[in-house]
Amino acid sequence: MTQHEGKPEFVPVTAGAGTLTATLTHLSPLDFFKMDFSKFATGVGDSMRTLLTGESSKAPDCLEKQIDVDGVTLKANRTKNESGANIDAVWPCLRSDSGQIQLDLRANGNRAWLARSQPDVGTGVLSAPTSGDATAAGFFTLFYNIGKHRSTGTLMPGTTLTYTFSPDNPPARAEVQVDAGLLLTSALVYQITSILDITGASTYDNVEKIPGTYDCLLGAADTLDTSDKNFVDNFSSAFNTILGCLSAVTPGPLAFLLNIFNGGAGLVSGLLTAAWNEITGNNHGIVTIDSSGRPKSDYALTWTGHTRQMHLNADGTGDVTIFSGAADGETWSATWDTTATGVTVSLVSLTSKTGAGLGDLKPGTKWVAALQKSPDDNKTVLHFVDPGKDLRNPNEGFYWCAEKYGYSYDCGA
């Protein structure tokens, strides 16, 4: 390293017969630049651990809160590892919006996560990350903002990833896995550019400005994340990719420094193996969704039985027609709603009467009902009983059938 017009200037050095030689085009003091790869690896490892062990956020109020959607009660449990212990890798929360079920995965700490849902509803929608600091965490976020997105959802530090489900296909599970390749790539790029920028190269700024650089660097992250080779081999390949990406943003006279980094790849990979194992050792989180009840669509049907018919509408209204024999009957408007075990149906007003009518129905008459298997032929039926009676007793009340479930003899002839 020398000086030219008051600025640091790097010139190539050749080695031979125990002698280092540098050729200058002007008179200037000369200091030899030496890369200490053990310190470089320590810096990378420290950056990675900072990303792994940053302060955790406070648990949100919505954590493990139930929501009711279309008659179904749902609750997202805390994130656990494969052994069933709480790890709170992300904060999962459920909410309902415009008739849809939304599962929010909120980042907890400094890690980035690859995420997926069950059922699979795509990559989800990520809230906007905001960080441009020249730190490993800053690169972490910039890689996501400007680079390609992965086929799985990616949850970045300080963001929320939202999956949307229909009530007919509610969430059952979500999984997250530390994006270890992106984490290591971010730490490496930060350390390399920090060293290069000592010369005034502004490599960090160039990485952001020159098109394609982020996609190139994410290719290195993909190599680390998806290859089935051992870490040392993966690292060597990814490190070469990173240096190739940075060569496009490093001023020509400084490009030879990248060759110095390349020469230390083997040493650095060995020194980083422990840090890599720490990243990938406990990196899998599982979110399970508890569900109870049935959606209203299971009940909002036309129901029939012997000398009776009932319409339950999706908006909670309906009508009930019941005859005693062929000549006497009544039709009533009704309301209905779901319960933890089924539905309740209440009569509102008499809308028509045939013959002598029935005489024992009145506004407010109510039945408690549940979908069950019919005693005689194991078909799904809606079992009606008076309030206070036992729905588990097949001899109580009466049964309704719907075309959706097939007709049962228990609904009558």
Side-chain angles (χ1 to χ4, degrees):
M1 182 173 69
T2 183
Q3 292 278 333
H4 181 59
E5 297 180 351
K7 296 181 180 180
E9 180 183 21
F10 283 79
V11 295
V13 175
T14 58
T19 302
L20 298 177
T21 304
T23 302
L24 304 181
T25 59
H26 56 280
L27 185 63
S28 175
L30 178 68
D31 293 317
F32 284 96
F33 177 86
K34 177 185 176 183
M35 171 61 68
D36 187 332
F37 287 108
S38 64
K39 291 184 177 179
F40 173 77
T42 298
V44 174
D46 288 345
S47 293
M48 291 161 59
R49 290 185 179 90
T50 297
L51 291 172
L52 277 177
T53 59
E55 290 185 8
S56 297
S57 58
K58 180 181 177 182
D61 292 338
C62 58
L63 185 66
E64 294 193 308
K65 291 294 180 64
Q66 294 181 347
I67 64 168
D68 294 308
V69 181
D70 194 30
V72 177
T73 300
L74 299 163
K75 185 187 78 169
N77 297 300
R78 298 177 83 128
T79 311
K80 301 181 183 296
N81 61 19
E82 293 177 348
S83 300
N86 289 338
I87 60 172
D88 292 332
V90 299
W91 300 122
C93 289
L94 287 168
R95 57 191 171 93
S96 177
D97 185 18
S98 301
Q100 300 293 295
I101 302 168
Q102 295 189 316
L103 171 62
D104 294 329
L105 300 180
R106 303 186 183 188
N108 182 21
N110 289 332
R111 285 172 285 187
W113 301 88
L114 298 174
R116 61 184 178 184
S117 67
Q118 181 183 338
D120 186 355
V121 290
T123 58
V125 177
L126 185 72
S127 63
T130 54
S131 174
D133 299 332
T135 62
F139 275 104
F140 219 56
T141 303
L142 287 171
F143 284 151
Y144 185 85
N145 279 340
I146 302 178
K148 65 185 178 184
H149 293 190
R150 291 183 162 93
S151 58
T152 54
T154 304
L155 177 63
M156 301 298 294
T159 66
T160 298
L161 182 64
T162 300
Y163 292 107
T164 301
F165 305 83
S166 71
D168 292 334
N169 200 20
R173 178 185 176 100
E175 295 184 52
V176 294
Q177 180 174 320
V178 168
D179 194 343
L182 183 58
L183 190 154
L184 177 54
T185 299
S186 302
L188 285 168
V189 173
Y190 168 59
Q191 292 297 323
I192 294 171
T193 57
S194 296
I195 293 172
L196 294 177
D197 286 356
I198 293 174
T199 69
S202 299
T203 312
Y204 175 84
D205 294 334
N206 290 336
V207 168
E208 185 174 357
K209 293 174 183 176
I210 295 180
T213 304
Y214 282 106
D215 282 346
C216 180
L217 291 170
L218 279 170
D222 286 338
T223 296
L224 289 163
D225 276 332
T226 61
S227 176
D228 57 2
K229 297 179 182 178
N230 62 61
F231 170 68
V232 172
D233 291 339
N234 286 348
F235 179 87
S236 178
S237 176
F239 198 41
N240 285 333
T241 299
I242 292 170
L243 296 176
C245 301
L246 293 179
S247 67
V249 300
T250 304
L254 298 177
F256 79 94
L257 287 175
L258 298 176
N259 293 329
I260 296 177
F261 284 109
N262 192 37
L267 174 61
V268 173
S269 65
L271 294 171
L272 288 176
T273 299
W276 178 261
N277 291 338
E278 182 179 345
I279 296 174
T280 56
N282 187 22
N283 69 345
H284 186 207
I286 301 168
V287 176
T288 58
I289 314 295
D290 293 338
S291 175
S292 61
R294 303 183 69 135
K296 283 189 174 181
S297 57
D298 284 358
Y299 302 97
L301 302 165
T302 296
W303 298 89
T304 60
H306 181 62
T307 67
R308 62 186 186 272
Q309 186 176 66
M310 175 174 64
H311 300 98
L312 298 182
N313 304 317
D315 63 359
T317 64
D319 58 76
V320 179
T321 299
I322 300 177
F323 270 73
S324 176
D328 303 320
E330 295 177 353
T331 298
W332 288 75
S333 63
T335 60
W336 69 280
D337 200 1
T338 56
T339 68
T341 57
V343 295
T344 57
V345 178
S346 302
L347 300 184
V348 177
S349 61
L350 179 67
T351 58
S352 68
K353 182 168 73 170
T354 301
L358 299 178
D360 56 346
L361 300 180
K362 59 184 179 181
T365 296
K366 179 184 292 188
W367 294 279
V368 178
L371 289 173
Q372 299 176 348
K373 292 297 182 181
S374 58
D376 287 343
D377 46 20
N378 204 39
K379 298 286 183 65
T380 297
V381 293
L382 189 60
H383 186 191
F384 263 40
V385 298
D386 293 327
K389 299 294 184 180
D390 189 357
L391 274 167
R392 295 170 297 179
N393 184 348
N395 297 316
E396 288 283 0
F398 52 99
Y399 297 93
W400 299 85
C401 290
E403 183 178 354
K404 176 179 179 178
Y405 303 116
Y407 200 81
S408 167
Y409 294 116
D410 289 294
C411 294

